[in-house]
């Protein structure tokens, strides 16, 4: 009989002294993602596919589900009583908790819907979240309060909406997996701790950007592509799902390396992925599973953020591979 999410969280409180307000927040987010999962699974039947006809702060066209998932997550966080402020990929600035709701000691950041280009084609997508300390609960939060390095995170995770809906998260005691049991509506534990092998046979990178890459990345990928007769002496396989949630999920389950490097198209955009609600939470999940996550130069979780929506190059996954491509940047 698998352990329920509720029981696991109670055990974390007693074994590791985790604040019941933090476990309460995680349970609340997990419940909230059931609602997103249900809408995702209904797709065209629920009228949630296609474009919303608007743009977010990154200048990306929003899909209906980006907006729907963002609204659901914001409302859930606001009414939870556990948070002082909310920040999202889909909102220019941090959101304060409206007067009618209580505030709590946490800040929540999220990418409400990751892998937007997969929504309309029924391929895996997800919701990523990161929880930071807010200090004494208060209402007047500013963007600046969120600019804490990833090592400050108190919990981080994602829910992947794929053939199964799964919650994957960490509170610093391993990366654990819960699968949503549709017959009972509960999350049941299906992995007690993920572990990424140090060596890898698979890599993930969007090769259509190759002509824009910087030299260390070109060198590394060329060596992988050279296979058995090249400097690495073995063949590698390649995957690209175009949803970071799905790539990280694959790496947690069967190893490999994922890269979204910076390139020389636009120096103001170091990479595509966002530090605060994509790279930081995913880096912690990878590290808790024995992997490594850098921006090519330094550990992602030690970067001091300067903006809520700042972008960062990402190399994460198998220790040996991430360390090798990072060494090429030195
Ligand atoms: P989002 O849908 O939240 O904007 O994020 C998409 C990100 C990431 O999940 C994925 O790895 C990458 O963009 C895909 O980029 P390409 O368009 O280069 O495939
Ligand atoms: Mn994303
Ligand atoms: Mn998104």
């Amino acid at each position: 009989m698998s352990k329920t999410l509720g029981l696991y969280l109670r055990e974390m409180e007693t074994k590791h002294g985790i604040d019941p307000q933090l476990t309460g927040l995680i349970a609340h987010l997990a419940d909230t993602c059931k609602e997103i999962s249900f809408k995702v699974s209904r797709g065209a039947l629920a009228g949630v596919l296609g474009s919303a006809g608007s743009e977010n702060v990154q200048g990306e066209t929003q899909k209906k589900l980006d907006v729907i998932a963002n609204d659901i997550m914001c409302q859930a966080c606001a009414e939870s009583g556990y948070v002082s402020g909310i920040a999202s990929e889909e909102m220019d600035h941090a959101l304060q908790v409206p007067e009618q709701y209580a505030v709590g000691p946490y800040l929540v950041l999220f990418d409400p819907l990751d892998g937007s280009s997969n929504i309309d084609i029924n391929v895996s997508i997800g919701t990523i979240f990161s929880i930071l300390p807010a200090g004494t609960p208060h209402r007047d939060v500013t963007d600046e309060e969120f600019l804490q390095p990833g090592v400050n995170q108190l919990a981080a995770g994602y829910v992947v909406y794929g053939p199964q809906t799964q919650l994957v998260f960490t509170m610093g005691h391993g990366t654990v997996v819960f699968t949503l049991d549709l017959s009972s509506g509960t999350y049941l534990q299906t992995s007690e701790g993920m572990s990424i092998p140090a060596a890898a046979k698979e890599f993930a990178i969007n090769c259509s950007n190759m002509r824009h890459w910087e030299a260390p990345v070109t060198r590394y990928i060329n060596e992988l592509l050279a296979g058995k007769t090249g400097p690495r002496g073995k063949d590698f396989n390649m995957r690209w799902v175009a949803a970071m949630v799905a790539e990280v999920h694959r790496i947690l389950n069967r190893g490999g390396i994922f890269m979204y490097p910076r390139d020389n198209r636009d120096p103001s955009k170091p990479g595509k992925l966002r530090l605060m609600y994509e790279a930081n939470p995913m880096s912690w999940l990878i590290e808790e599973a024995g992997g490594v996550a850098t921006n090519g130069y330094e550990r992602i979780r030690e970067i001091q953020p300067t903006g809520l929506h700042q972008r960062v190059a990402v190399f994460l996954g198998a220790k040996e591979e991430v360390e090798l491509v990072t060494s090429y940047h030195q």
Side-chain angles (χ1 to χ4, degrees):
M1 182 66 183
S2 306
K3 193 179 285 178
T4 63
L5 175 62
L7 180 58
Y8 173 82
L9 292 172
R10 291 299 83 71
E11 286 179 3
M12 295 303 282
E13 292 165 12
T14 48
K15 265 195 222 159
H16 300 288
I18 306 274
D19 176 11
Q21 294 193 84
L22 181 59
T23 55
L25 177 55
I26 291 169
H28 191 64
L29 292 176
D31 271 344
T32 303
C33 289
K34 285 186 207 169
E35 192 184 338
I36 300 175
S37 176
F38 182 65
K39 288 201 191 300
V40 166
S41 72
R42 298 250 306 145
L45 303 177
V48 298
L49 304 186
S51 168
S54 46
E55 267 192 6
N56 66 12
V57 61
Q58 346 262 342
E60 300 159 344
T61 305
Q62 290 176 307
K63 293 290 180 78
K64 280 185 196 160
L65 260 178
D66 289 321
V67 177
I68 292 168
N70 188 60
D71 290 349
I72 292 174
M73 289 290 286
C74 286
Q75 179 59 29
C77 289
E79 70 188 16
S80 73
Y82 298 123
V83 315
S84 280
I86 303 151
S88 161
E89 175 184 333
E90 305 300 342
M91 301 188 297
D92 300 15
H93 297 288
L95 190 71
Q96 300 182 350
V97 176
E99 284 292 337
Q100 69 261 41
Y101 303 118
V103 284
Y106 300 109
L107 300 174
V108 184
L109 299 98
F110 47 80
D111 176 354
L113 215 293
D114 175 67
S116 300
S117 73
N118 286 353
I119 295 171
D120 296 345
I121 56 169
N122 195 11
V123 173
S124 288
I125 50 182
T127 299
I128 310 172
F129 62 89
S130 165
I131 301 175
L132 290 167
T136 308
H138 56 297
R139 254 169 225 292
D140 50 347
V141 287
T142 60
D143 288 2
E144 285 64 41
E145 290 175 49
F146 288 81
L147 304 184
Q148 306 179 36
V151 288
N152 280 18
Q153 292 173 110
L154 299 169
Y158 62 80
V159 174
V160 56
Y161 314 113
Q164 301 119 47
T165 292
Q166 292 183 304
L167 166 69
V168 179
F169 73 103
T170 185
M171 294 186 291
H173 302 281
T175 295
V176 289
V177 182
F178 290 79
T179 302
L180 181 60
D181 177 9
L182 290 175
S183 62
S184 65
T186 50
Y187 286 96
L188 299 174
Q189 188 163 23
T190 44
S191 168
E192 292 182 8
M194 306 303 278
S195 171
I196 304 168
K201 291 194 293 277
E202 259 175 2
F203 68 98
I205 191 167
N206 185 344
C207 275
S208 71
N209 297 324
M210 190 173 243
R211 68 192 181 284
H212 305 295
W213 291 343
E214 295 177 334
V217 178
T218 309
R219 173 186 172 192
Y220 176 70
I221 298 298
N222 279 338
E223 289 180 2
L224 300 187
L225 293 174
K228 233 187 171 90
T229 53
R232 298 300 305 276
K234 66 175 180 177
D235 291 333
F236 287 82
N237 199 0
M238 197 193 86
R239 288 287 183 274
W240 188 251
V241 191
M244 190 190 199
V245 163
E247 319 278 6
V248 168
H249 197 67
R250 183 187 60 251
I251 288 169
L252 286 170
N253 279 285
R254 69 171 191 212
I257 177 173
F258 165 85
M259 292 154 278
Y260 215 115
R262 58 182 296 148
D263 61 39
N264 45 36
R265 265 173 294 183
D266 179 353
S268 72
K269 285 185 185 169
K272 177 176 186 188
L273 299 173
R274 279 59 52 118
L275 174 63
M276 301 303 296
Y277 39 81
E278 291 178 319
N280 270 339
M282 293 311 209
S283 295
W284 196 14
L285 294 171
I286 291 290
E287 288 179 355
E288 281 291 321
V292 174
T294 78
N295 65 354
Y297 299 92
E298 58 182 322
R299 187 178 172 217
I300 286 175
R301 290 213 296 141
E302 286 174 8
I303 296 172
Q304 176 58 52
T306 53
L308 211 46
H309 302 287
Q310 107 182 52
R311 294 170 192 262
V312 65
V314 174
F315 300 86
L316 61 76
K319 186 172 184 291
E320 287 172 11
E321 295 302 323
V322 177
E323 284 176 352
L324 183 63
V325 68
T326 301
S327 75
Y328 289 179
H329 286 76
Q330 304 311 309

